[in-house]
Amino acid sequence: MSKEKDSHPSEFIRTPPWGTVTMLEEGPRYRINRIEVKPGQHISTQMHYHRSEHWIVVSGTARVIFDGQEHLLKQKESTYVPMNTRHRLENPGVIPLVMIEVQNGEYLGDDDIIRFPEDDSKS
């Protein structure tokens, strides 16, 4: 790790209740994250107006729900979530789900995350 990352670790690692997000690299129009989702947990159902996401499973199993379809992904498998697509990521397994996420878009700010209510999550 560079000295910059060591001196401000909280800027590069977030720990929501469902797991950990570590920003690995960021540049113009892209961000690369390492995402770990605890067994039985999920991220909120969400959508983005200004970015797409490509998820690659490093270990564990991912249940990805978007476009009204459910996809199970295992190690070495990936999926692409286009802009303006409502999506949800779950870990249905018994070991942590570890993924690499590549975000691409004109704007990558957290205020581009549109979250949907939990009871409406499977759409």
Side-chain angles (χ1 to χ4, degrees), residues 7-111:
S7 64
H8 301 290
S10 63
E11 293 179 23
F12 296 94
I13 298 174
R14 290 187 300 114
T15 55
W18 49 261
T20 306
V21 178
T22 305
M23 186 177 68
L24 302 175
E25 186 175 331
E26 186 173 37
R29 300 177 49 92
Y30 79 94
R31 179 182 299 146
I32 302 171
N33 293 320
R34 178 188 183 276
I35 298 176
E36 185 169 325
V37 181
K38 296 174 187 175
Q41 298 294 307
H42 62 85
I43 65 168
S44 62
T45 302
Q46 53 190 250
M47 184 178 75
H48 314 286
Y49 290 117
H50 301 285
R51 68 173 162 230
S52 62
E53 297 172 330
H54 189 169
W55 293 332
I56 304 105
V57 177
V58 174
S59 63
T61 302
R63 178 183 294 130
V64 181
I65 303 162
F66 68 93
D67 280 344
Q69 297 182 8
E70 189 174 299
H71 309 271
L72 276 180
L73 301 175
K74 298 177 297 276
Q75 185 177 12
K76 302 179 190 173
E77 296 180 332
S78 65
T79 192
Y80 173 76
V81 181
M83 280 188 290
N84 301 311
T85 301
R86 185 172 158 154
H87 59 280
R88 176 177 164 124
L89 171 69
E90 303 175 352
N91 179 355
V94 295
I95 65 169
L97 165 63
V98 178
M99 299 186 341
I100 298 299
E101 173 187 70
V102 180
Q103 300 175 353
N104 289 103
E106 299 277 333
Y107 179 71
L108 303 173
D110 283 346
D111 55 345

